């Protein structure tokens, strides 16, 4: 049997943990036909992304409320998130008003907009997003007030939610820690109210997530799938999640 590529191995590890709370490094190495050291590197990489938790002799399901800081997430899966960002930027038209929340994939989206877009107004609670957009003089950036959370390089709190409620947008672009048949899920609880407010104030709502977030159930549900206009991702969802998205008329935009 041909050896699996790195991304395929890691996807298989995530799939296995959907059915079993713990997997052993030695068992995975035997199944994949690679060394235990190779599997350990896979586990380390997935752990840094907050997708799993390292455990003695293997890996286990990540805690529902745990997520690595923005700085670590921003360095993971850059190629996939850059493709998602480019696809999302194709939906944006000059003159539009956007809302963009704080996150690693939305940061990639902001970098892409700074390079390609023009004549936008963007409201954001992300210092990283605002800094990226500031490189483009034709983009007016409105940054939310509130409490700064260094771990997320974002701004949150009641003042933030109240401020968002004063604005309207053509489109909201948000990220999330997970996506299930129940809806958008999130590990960072302070961000939930921000995402809800942005979705509520926008005519169209798009979720930017890579495929590793599919079927990941976390501590908080932001909104059901019906709140979304579309999902922009690097691989098409499958199974029950694909059925649920189709039933709720959520468009799937796959970045190539």
């Amino acid at each position: 049997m041909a050896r699996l590529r790195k991304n395929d191995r890691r996807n298989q590890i995530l799939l296995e943990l959907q059915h079993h709370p713990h997997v052993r490094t030695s068992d995975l190495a035997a199944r994949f036909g690679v060394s235990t050291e190779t599997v350990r590197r896979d586990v380390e990489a997935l752990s840094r992304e907050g997708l799993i938790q390292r455990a003695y002799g293997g890996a286990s399901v990540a805690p529902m409320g745990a997520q690595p800081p923005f700085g670590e997430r921003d360095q993971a899966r850059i190629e996939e998130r850059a493709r998602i960002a480019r696809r999302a930027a194709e939906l944006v038209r000059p003159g539009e008003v956007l809302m963009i929340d704080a996150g690693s994939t939305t940061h990639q989206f902001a970098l892409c907009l700074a390079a390609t877009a023009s004549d936008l107004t963007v409201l954001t609670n992300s210092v990283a997003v605002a800094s990226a957009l500031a490189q483009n003089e034709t983009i007016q950036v409105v940054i939310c007030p509130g409490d700064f959370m260094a771990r997320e390089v974002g701004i949150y709190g009641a003042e933030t939610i109240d401020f968002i409620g004063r604005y309207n947008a053509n489109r909201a672009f948000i990220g999330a820690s997970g996506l299930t048949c129940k809806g958008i899920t999130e590990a960072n609880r302070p961000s939930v109210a921000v995402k809800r407010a942005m979705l509520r104030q926008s005519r169209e709502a798009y979720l930017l997530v890579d495929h590793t977030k599919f079927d990941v159930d976390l501590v908080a549900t932001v909104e059901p799938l019906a709140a979304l206009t579309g999902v922009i991702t690097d691989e098409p969802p499958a199974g029950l999640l694909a059925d649920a998205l189709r039933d709720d008329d959520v468009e799937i935009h796959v970045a190539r």
Side-chain angles (χ1 to χ4, degrees):
M1 185 180 73
R3 288 189 178 185
L4 294 175
R5 294 176 298 176
K6 178 176 65 177
N7 285 344
D8 293 331
R9 286 196 313 270
R10 295 176 183 179
N11 288 337
Q12 284 297 313
I13 293 171
L14 293 173
L15 183 62
E16 186 69 18
L17 284 170
Q18 289 181 19
H19 303 286
H20 305 286
H22 179 84
V23 292
R24 294 182 59 82
T25 301
S26 56
D27 292 341
L28 293 171
R31 182 185 306 179
F32 299 154
V34 298
S35 68
T36 55
E37 185 58 37
T38 295
V39 175
R40 287 194 191 99
R41 287 196 294 270
D42 291 336
V43 169
E44 283 279 351
L46 292 170
S47 177
R48 285 195 298 272
E49 293 182 53
L51 299 172
I52 66 174
Q53 180 172 310
R54 286 178 296 163
Y56 181 75
S60 59
V61 178
M64 276 192 159
Q67 178 172 258
F70 169 82
E72 292 183 21
R73 302 197 314 273
D74 202 42
Q75 296 304 310
R77 297 186 180 273
I78 293 176
E79 181 182 337
E80 292 92 333
R81 291 187 293 105
R83 292 206 310 269
I84 292 168
R86 289 193 294 270
R87 181 67 186 92
E90 292 173 1
L91 301 176
V92 177
R93 299 289 177 263
E96 288 191 333
V97 178
L98 311 180
M99 293 190 181
I100 304 175
D101 84 323
S104 56
T105 306
T106 52
H107 179 230
Q108 289 293 325
F109 175 50
L111 290 169
C112 189
L113 288 179
T116 63
S118 62
D119 300 321
L120 301 177
T121 300
V122 179
L123 182 145
T124 184
N125 72 316
S126 168
V127 174
V129 166
S131 297
L133 294 174
Q135 301 171 42
N136 186 325
E137 294 182 354
T138 74
I139 299 177
Q140 180 181 355
V141 181
V142 180
I143 191 160
C144 298
D147 300 321
F148 178 67
M149 183 184 294
R151 180 183 175 87
E152 293 298 317
V153 198
I155 302 166
Y156 304 93
E159 192 175 1
T160 313
I161 307 309
D162 180 66
F163 186 81
I164 294 170
R166 302 176 200 167
Y167 289 83
N168 300 300
N170 296 98
R171 310 171 199 269
F173 292 90
I174 67 168
S177 305
L179 183 67
T180 74
C181 294
K182 294 185 293 184
I184 308 159
T185 67
E186 185 56 54
N188 176 27
R189 287 179 296 163
S191 74
V192 171
V194 171
K195 295 177 193 295
R196 286 176 181 163
M198 288 186 173
L199 296 178
R200 186 169 57 245
Q201 298 300 123
S202 302
R203 293 178 186 169
E204 296 184 355
Y206 293 89
L207 179 68
L208 280 55
V209 287
D210 68 72
H211 71 280
T212 64
K213 309 296 177 60
F214 296 163
D215 299 311
V216 175
D217 201 6
L218 292 159
V219 63
T221 298
V222 178
E223 290 286 4
L225 298 178
L228 294 171
T229 305
V231 172
I232 306 172
T233 184
D234 60 325
E235 292 184 13
L240 294 176
L241 178 57
D243 294 341
L245 289 163
R246 183 172 56 250
D247 290 345
D248 282 318
D249 294 322
V250 181
E251 298 175 67
I252 306 300
H253 301 266
V254 179
R256 301 298 183 184

